[in-house]
Amino acid sequence: RDFNERCAQCSEVNWGLTDGGRFYCRSCHNVTERTREVVNTDFITNSRVQTIAKGLRKQEKTDGDCEWYICEGFQLVLKKQVEALEALGVCPQMKDEILCNFWRCYLQKSKQAYCRRPAGETVKTLSVCESSTEVDSDPERPSLLHLLSLSESEGDLQTDCSIASSVSKVSESTSVYSGSVDGSLYLRKNQKEKLMMTMPMTLSFCYMALLWVREPITLSELLRFVVEGHIPYLNVFQHFPEKMKLCGLDLKIFCVESWPVYEEVFNKMHELAAFLDLPRFPDITESCFLHPDMLCMKYLMEANLPDELHNWTCRVVKKIGIGEVDFLTLTPGNKSTRKVKYDVLAAAVIVVVLKLLFLLDDHYEWLLSEFAEERNKNNPEVCMFYSGGPYFEFKKWYEVVKHSLDVEQKKLDEERAKHLWRCEKPLFYSVKNKSKVLKRRQMVVSLKNQFGKLSGSVQRAEKPNPSSFQLSWSEENTNGSCFHGHSLKGILQEKCGLLTVMNPDYWLCTVKLCNEKLCGHLAHYKEVEFPQSYHFVLRLFSFLLRIQPSYIHDEVCMIEHKLFNKKLCKKLKYNTVLRK
């Protein structure tokens, strides 16, 4: 009754009071900045104290947004990724029986759910809040128990009302620049907590689940499917429900502007397995796809190499014991065993076999190729009848594979250069700006299409179906570009009933291995220090696996030292005696 100013919008004098102590017009509902003058004489007699209310009140959800947590965002990412894997043919049990249990165990171990909130965290959270007197210090962390099934719908994102209401009050001051409840606190956590969820770790979860069920998908294939867009990873947050407001620090957590790195995903997977205290994984036996004998067969076909090489790869695998169950099976937390990269190991075995047969020193393999070419030209029918196929010509294989490799590498480089990192779905943070953002986005797309028609640019083709093979070679081709049926008898000799190589020489990539924990590699690789034939073979398999050649070189050095361990020990002892 004491406030007689006219409303700035409707010129009426009809004021009411909000919960925060501000005046609002009952006619047009306009809220002013003026607050009520409060008279308080309860605690001091014969005195009058005038105070101005702060006017702080809980910010209302005007855009229909829901309160959500970072772990819920990563749960949606995992849900999308595992559904994409199911579409590629992965067994349905991996989703709810394997990955979901891994995720629940991680939330409990990391104390994000299924546990009581640590006492120190509540105090730390409340100390940040300016109006700590308005916060209910409930020691329970939001349970999210009904959220953790990866089969539930995206719309089921509500938390326990009694707990979420208290945490939201904290989030008003702690998550000012994020749409999630705990966005800012998530990034403030101690860096010593190594296993805070990141986007690459979602792929580590998927690979760990694939390894548990022994699915025929290697880590290199998983990352390739990500790059090709078959598995959601880049801009995956555009699949979040609209009521999950994503802004500020949330984008820093979920927005990815780089391709996943093999080594990072691989190491995080092993850290996760140890962190979760998982038991020994199911055995990798000879019948499993991840066994070196199986993978060598696959990569020999993809590299367009003779089928007879598989007998040699199996001999090498058996000789050095890398096909044993205990060597291949993952035992989390066991530091005495080496972490096995199944795809890289198989590729390295093939490289070692090629060195055993062709030496790959830029000289001997060309001599063998000239000999095989001459035999094929002079006696084509004899070669077909007695050896089951023409003699394998390394030079011809090199030319055919190099041409295809250069073409595919150029396509890959162009696709990566043209990749649009910006999200196709526009991000808007309020209903007021939604129409403006959508209209602006529609205008941009329209202009882009018009300029594309004027410039004559070709529209982007649809995504091809995923395939395990990047390079395909058909034996039905008459141009001789397929070498699967070619024979190796031209470079072998029979000795004591066994086929052995004609040349007994072999050169080692390195005499002494480095400390992998200190250097990060077992050996250092520089292209100029090795023959070009060896580098070409490494380049071929690095393209197939989408990794650096140095990682394959490491495995080659490890296999060589296992294969020639006795000779190396004798040589090192001999050199030590000479020095003395």
Side-chain angles (χ1 to χ4, degrees):
R1 290 178 296 178
D2 298 333
F3 188 54
N4 299 322
E5 294 184 8
R6 292 184 177 275
C7 177
Q9 288 190 0
C10 64
S11 300
E12 294 288 337
V13 183
N14 187 14
W15 299 103
L17 283 174
T18 65
D19 294 337
R22 296 183 183 180
F23 290 103
Y24 74 94
C25 181
R26 290 172 178 165
S27 300
C28 63
H29 303 287
N30 177 36
V31 181
T32 67
E33 296 297 328
R34 284 288 301 269
T35 56
R36 183 185 181 186
E37 187 181 71
V38 179
V39 179
N40 192 340
T41 59
D42 294 338
F43 63 97
I44 300 179
T45 58
N46 301 325
S47 63
R48 186 184 182 192
V49 180
Q50 294 181 351
T51 60
I52 302 297
K54 293 181 179 179
L56 293 177
R57 62 188 181 91
K58 182 178 179 179
Q59 184 178 0
E60 298 178 358
K61 297 285 183 178
T62 57
D63 297 342
D65 302 325
C66 70
E67 292 175 334
W68 62 282
Y69 297 83
I70 295 297
C71 62
E72 291 180 283
F74 280 116
Q75 179 174 301
L76 285 175
V77 174
L78 286 173
K79 180 175 180 289
K80 292 293 182 181
Q81 290 175 347
V82 73
E83 286 175 351
L85 287 171
E86 283 186 349
L88 295 177
V90 172
C91 65
Q93 291 78 14
M94 193 189 87
K95 180 180 180 182
D96 292 327
E97 297 181 11
I98 307 300
L99 185 58
C100 184
N101 289 331
F102 286 165
W103 178 240
R104 291 180 178 181
C105 184
Y106 168 78
L107 290 178
Q108 185 178 26
K109 291 281 186 179
S110 60
K111 298 181 180 179
Q112 298 184 56
Y114 297 102
C115 66
R116 296 185 65 85
R117 178 184 299 183
E121 185 175 335
T122 305
V123 176
K124 180 180 177 181
T125 304
L126 297 182
S127 63
V128 180
C129 184
E130 295 179 1
S131 56
S132 60
T133 58
E134 298 182 5
V135 180
D136 182 13
S137 57
D138 192 339
E140 290 286 342
R141 180 182 295 276
S143 61
L144 305 179
L145 296 181
H146 58 288
L147 299 176
L148 299 178
S149 175
L150 298 180
S151 298
E152 293 185 5
S153 62
E154 296 177 355
D156 188 12
L157 293 169
Q158 300 301 320
T159 58
D160 185 15
C161 298
S162 61
I163 300 174
S165 60
S166 63
V167 179
S168 64
K169 296 177 182 178
V170 179
S171 66
E172 289 177 19
S173 58
T174 57
S175 295
V176 175
Y177 298 103
S178 66
S180 61
V181 173
D182 57 342
S184 57
L185 291 177
Y186 196 85
L187 295 176
R188 290 180 190 174
K189 289 192 175 182
N190 196 340
Q191 295 298 325
K192 293 182 180 179
E193 299 179 11
K194 299 179 181 179
L195 287 179
M196 298 302 295
M197 272 300 294
T198 59
M199 285 299 297
M201 277 181 62
T202 60
L203 300 178
S204 300
F205 266 102
C206 291
Y207 178 57
M208 187 166 60
L210 290 170
L211 186 58
W212 186 274
V213 295
R214 296 179 295 183
E215 281 288 337
I217 297 180
T218 61
L219 178 56
S220 58
E221 284 181 320
L222 177 68
L223 299 185
R224 178 166 61 85
F225 291 153
V226 169
V227 174
E228 292 176 355
H230 302 295
I231 298 177
Y233 181 76
L234 303 176
N235 297 324
V236 68
F237 55 84
Q238 66 182 344
H239 301 294
F240 285 10
E242 291 188 5
K243 60 181 179 179
M244 288 180 64
K245 184 179 178 182
L246 195 76
C247 61
L249 296 177
D250 301 329
L251 296 177
K252 187 176 181 180
I253 297 172
F254 292 101
C255 185
V256 178
E257 293 186 353
S258 62
W259 304 108
V261 181
Y262 185 102
E263 199 73 11
E264 180 183 2
V265 176
F266 179 81
N267 290 333
K268 283 296 181 183
M269 187 277 291
H270 282 268
E271 289 183 28
L272 268 173
F275 177 73
L276 301 180
D277 293 328
L278 295 180
R280 176 185 167 106
F281 277 52
D283 292 343
I284 305 296
T285 59
E286 293 182 357
S287 60
C288 293
F289 177 81
L290 297 176
H291 194 276
D293 292 344
M294 291 285 191
L295 286 176
C296 284
M297 186 185 302
K298 174 184 182 300
Y299 293 138
L300 285 173
M301 294 177 61
E302 194 164 9
N304 198 15
L305 288 167
D307 299 331
E308 293 182 12
L309 283 175
H310 188 248
N311 296 328
W312 287 85
T313 58
C314 292
R315 290 172 63 179
V316 171
V317 169
K318 186 176 181 180
K319 178 74 175 178
I320 62 180
I322 60 175
E324 300 296 330
V325 174
D326 292 336
F327 177 83
L328 296 173
T329 305
L330 173 61
T331 305
N334 189 353
K335 298 182 179 180
S336 61
T337 58
R338 192 169 184 269
K339 302 173 183 176
V340 182
K341 304 171 183 174
Y342 303 98
D343 40 9
V344 183
L345 180 66
V349 170
I350 297 175
V351 175
V352 171
V353 168
L354 290 176
K355 287 182 66 179
L356 286 170
L357 298 180
F358 300 96
L359 204 59
L360 301 184
D361 64 345
D362 289 344
H363 178 68
Y364 183 68
E365 64 270 21
W366 305 122
L367 292 178
L368 291 177
S369 182
E370 291 176 1
F371 170 75
E373 183 181 5
E374 185 178 353
R375 290 288 299 269
N376 289 333
K377 286 183 178 179
N378 296 336
N379 303 302
E381 296 181 358
V382 174
C383 292
M384 291 291 294
F385 181 77
Y386 287 102
S387 61
Y391 286 171
F392 177 70
E393 300 178 28
F394 186 88
K395 180 180 179 181
K396 187 176 181 181
W397 170 83
Y398 171 83
E399 293 173 349
V400 171
V401 175
K402 186 177 185 302
H403 173 72
S404 298
L405 181 61
D406 291 341
V407 172
E408 294 298 324
Q409 185 68 55
K410 185 179 179 181
K411 289 181 181 178
L412 178 63
D413 294 339
E414 289 179 353
E415 288 177 0
R416 290 190 172 185
K418 294 178 181 178
H419 181 76
L420 297 176
W421 295 99
R422 181 174 294 181
C423 179
E424 295 181 359
K425 178 181 177 181
L427 297 175
F428 46 85
Y429 309 128
S430 66
V431 177
K432 296 180 181 179
N433 297 332
K434 181 176 179 179
S435 59
K436 295 180 181 179
V437 174
L438 291 177
K439 186 176 181 180
R440 188 181 304 169
R441 181 64 179 175
Q442 185 178 2
M443 185 183 302
V444 170
V445 173
S446 177
L447 289 174
K448 183 179 178 181
N449 293 335
Q450 292 179 15
F451 280 113
K453 293 179 180 179
L454 291 174
S455 61
S457 60
V458 182
Q459 294 289 336
R460 183 181 298 182
E462 295 183 358
K463 278 191 307 184
N465 295 327
S467 174
S468 296
F469 292 91
Q470 302 176 70
L471 302 176
S472 59
W473 314 93
S474 175
E475 297 183 5
E476 299 177 356
N477 292 343
T478 57
N479 56 1
S481 60
C482 181
F483 296 87
H484 292 160
H486 287 218
S487 174
L488 298 175
K489 290 185 178 179
I491 60 174
L492 301 175
Q493 60 182 357
E494 188 173 350
K495 187 176 182 180
C496 299
L498 294 175
L499 290 175
T500 60
V501 294
M502 298 177 61
N503 181 33
D505 297 332
Y506 189 90
W507 59 272
L508 292 172
C509 293
T510 182
V511 177
K512 187 176 181 180
L513 297 177
C514 297
N515 190 334
E516 191 173 13
K517 294 181 179 179
L518 297 177
C519 302
H521 292 276
L522 290 173
H524 296 282
Y525 176 74
K526 293 182 180 179
E527 180 183 350
V528 294
E529 297 177 355
F530 294 90
Q532 288 300 310
S533 297
Y534 176 73
H535 173 69
F536 171 75
V537 174
L538 288 189
R539 180 190 162 212
L540 170 62
F541 286 105
S542 67
F543 171 79
L544 296 179
L545 303 183
R546 304 291 175 90
I547 60 175
Q548 295 296 325
S550 58
Y551 294 125
I552 304 177
H553 179 72
D554 282 354
E555 296 295 324
V556 170
C557 294
M558 184 272 294
I559 294 174
E560 288 179 345
H561 276 252
K562 285 180 174 289
L563 195 60
F564 302 104
N565 184 36
K566 294 181 179 179
K567 295 182 179 180
L568 283 172
C569 290
K570 290 181 181 179
K571 184 175 181 179
L572 290 174
K573 290 180 180 179
Y574 178 73
N575 291 338
T576 304
V577 172
L578 289 179
R579 290 177 184 175
K580 291 182 178 179

